[in-house]
């Protein structure tokens, strides 16, 4: 039986580079799978249903909530975001490390439901860099950018709820750091109970 995978929750300010980080992480290491979230927001240019997100209407999303098909959901800047349950639990049972890219409300709910999950908060090196990245993205109006910056001020109040805080300044360094965090988590004793018991039973045979 495969050792259970780790559920990694990645949050951060909009513009912190979460999507780019996770894309590079998945390209470089084959030990991760990315859980695809459902959302009611409109697709950005180049995004496809079932790849970046499952794009759903408000009515469809609320039906998923009613059916218990989501392990968490929240409303962010006027749109629903949520994590489908079945895919996540299947992958964890198969020993895969599953990454969820979700915002702070959802991360708290995940930690309540899955206490052994790992919560990581991603941030740019400064507030000015955050603003620059949001504006240079060029996909949203200044009004939306200002809403996201205002939201960042609220999210900053919850950063201490996370297990790890990672600065995304140099992308390659950031990717390595996140991978090392998960490698270290795999070595924690509470995740290796079966192996520990096996070794203990074997060495106890040497006892005089």
């Amino acid at each position: 039986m495969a050792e259970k995978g780790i559920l990694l929750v990645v949050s951060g300010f909009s513009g912190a580079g979460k999507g780019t980080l996770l894309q590079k992480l998945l390209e470089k290491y084959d030990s991760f799978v990315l859980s695809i979230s459902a959302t009611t927001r409109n697709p950005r240019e180049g995004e496809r249903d079932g790849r970046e997100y499952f794009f759903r209407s408000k009515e469809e999303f609320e039906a998923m909530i009613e059916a218990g098909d989501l392990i968490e959901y929240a409303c962010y800047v006027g749109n629903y975001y949520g994590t489908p349950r079945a895919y996540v639990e299947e992958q964890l049972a198969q020993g895969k490390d599953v990454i969820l890219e979700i915002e702070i409300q959802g991360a708290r709910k995940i930690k309540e439901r899955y206490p052994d999950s790992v919560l990581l908060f991603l941030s740019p090196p400064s507030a000015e860099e955050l603003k620059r990245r949001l504006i240079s993205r060029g996909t949203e109006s200044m009004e939306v950018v200002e809403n996201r910056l205002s939201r960042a001020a609220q999210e900053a109040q919850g950063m201490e709820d996370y297990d790890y805080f990672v600065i995304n300044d140099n992308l390659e360094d950031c990717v390595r750091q996140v991978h090392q965090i998960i490698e270290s988590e795999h070595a924690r004793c509470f995740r290796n109970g079966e192996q520990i018991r096996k070794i203990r039973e074997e060495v106890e045979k040497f006892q005089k």
Side-chain angles (χ1 to χ4, degrees), residues 48 65 122:
R48 287 211 314 262
I65 295 172
L122 189 70

Side-chain angles (χ1 to χ4, degrees), residues 23-107:
Q23 181 184 350
K24 291 294 182 184
L25 199 63
L26 292 166
E27 286 174 4
K28 191 165 185 178
Y29 304 104
D30 59 7
S31 53
F32 297 102
V33 293
L34 182 64
S35 175
I36 302 172
S37 296
T39 184
T40 57
R41 80 156 169 79
N42 293 324
R44 294 183 185 136
E45 187 177 349
E47 290 183 334
R48 287 211 314 262
D49 182 55
R51 188 178 65 183
E52 285 80 14
Y53 286 94
F54 296 114
F55 294 100
R56 299 291 180 262
S57 68
K58 184 181 178 185
E59 292 73 22
E60 288 172 330
F61 196 100
E62 288 175 347
M64 293 172 73
I65 295 172
E66 189 66 26
D69 293 337
L70 302 168
I71 59 176
E72 62 77 33
Y73 67 92
C75 192
Y76 175 73
V77 194
N79 286 300
Y80 279 124
Y81 292 81
T83 303
R85 178 194 302 276
Y87 177 81
V88 169
E89 295 190 344
E90 285 168 8
Q91 296 298 313
L92 290 174
Q94 292 171 20
K96 296 284 188 180
D97 296 329
V98 180
I99 304 173
L100 305 184
E101 182 194 339
I102 54 179
E103 48 65 66
I104 198 164
Q105 290 172 301

Side-chain angles (χ1 to χ4, degrees), residues 12-206:
F13 309 124
S14 179
K18 299 183 296 294
T20 306
L21 167 69
L22 298 184
Q23 181 184 350
K24 291 294 182 184
L25 199 63
L26 292 166
E27 286 174 4
K28 191 165 185 178
Y29 304 104
D30 59 7
S31 53
F32 297 102
V33 293
L34 182 64
S35 175
I36 302 172
S37 296
T39 184
T40 57
R41 80 156 169 79
N42 293 324
R44 294 183 185 136
E45 187 177 349
E47 290 183 334
R48 287 211 314 262
D49 182 55
R51 188 178 65 183
E52 285 80 14
Y53 286 94
F54 296 114
F55 294 100
R56 299 291 180 262
S57 68
K58 184 181 178 185
E59 292 73 22
E60 288 172 330
F61 196 100
E62 288 175 347
M64 293 172 73
I65 295 172
E66 189 66 26
D69 293 337
L70 302 168
I71 59 176
E72 62 77 33
Y73 67 92
C75 192
Y76 175 73
V77 194
N79 286 300
Y80 279 124
Y81 292 81
T83 303
R85 178 194 302 276
Y87 177 81
V88 169
E89 295 190 344
E90 285 168 8
Q91 296 298 313
L92 290 174
Q94 292 171 20
K96 296 284 188 180
D97 296 329
V98 180
I99 304 173
L100 305 184
E101 182 194 339
I102 54 179
E103 48 65 66
I104 198 164
Q105 290 172 301
R108 287 172 175 149
K109 291 175 186 174
I110 291 290
K111 196 67 167 179
E112 288 173 10
R113 184 163 289 178
Y114 301 91
D116 60 348
S117 60
V118 176
L119 270 54
L120 185 149
F121 195 93
L122 189 70
S123 174
S126 69
E128 278 305 310
E129 174 62 12
L130 176 65
K131 184 176 180 180
R132 187 197 68 77
R133 289 181 188 180
L134 283 172
I135 293 171
S136 66
R137 198 155 64 180
T139 56
E140 294 157 337
S141 68
M142 274 307 297
E143 183 182 358
V144 173
V145 168
E146 286 167 4
N147 285 340
R148 292 190 182 279
L149 290 170
S150 177
R151 176 71 180 209
Q154 299 170 30
E155 290 173 327
Q157 304 305 313
M159 291 188 286
E160 290 88 351
D161 293 344
Y162 285 72
D163 300 306
Y164 296 93
F165 178 76
V166 176
I167 293 289
N168 184 14
D169 191 3
N170 178 284
L171 181 60
E172 289 301 317
D173 290 345
C174 191
V175 168
R176 270 194 304 272
Q177 186 179 357
V178 173
H179 181 251
Q180 287 167 359
I181 285 169
I182 298 306
E183 289 292 289
S184 297
E185 282 288 332
H186 271 292
R188 294 187 66 182
C189 286
F190 81 86
R191 300 189 195 276
N192 290 277
E194 190 175 331
Q195 185 99 15
I196 287 170
R197 282 190 295 273
K198 181 175 180 291
I199 295 293
R200 181 184 289 124
E201 288 170 4
E202 290 175 355
V203 298
E204 280 176 351
K205 294 174 185 176
F206 299 140

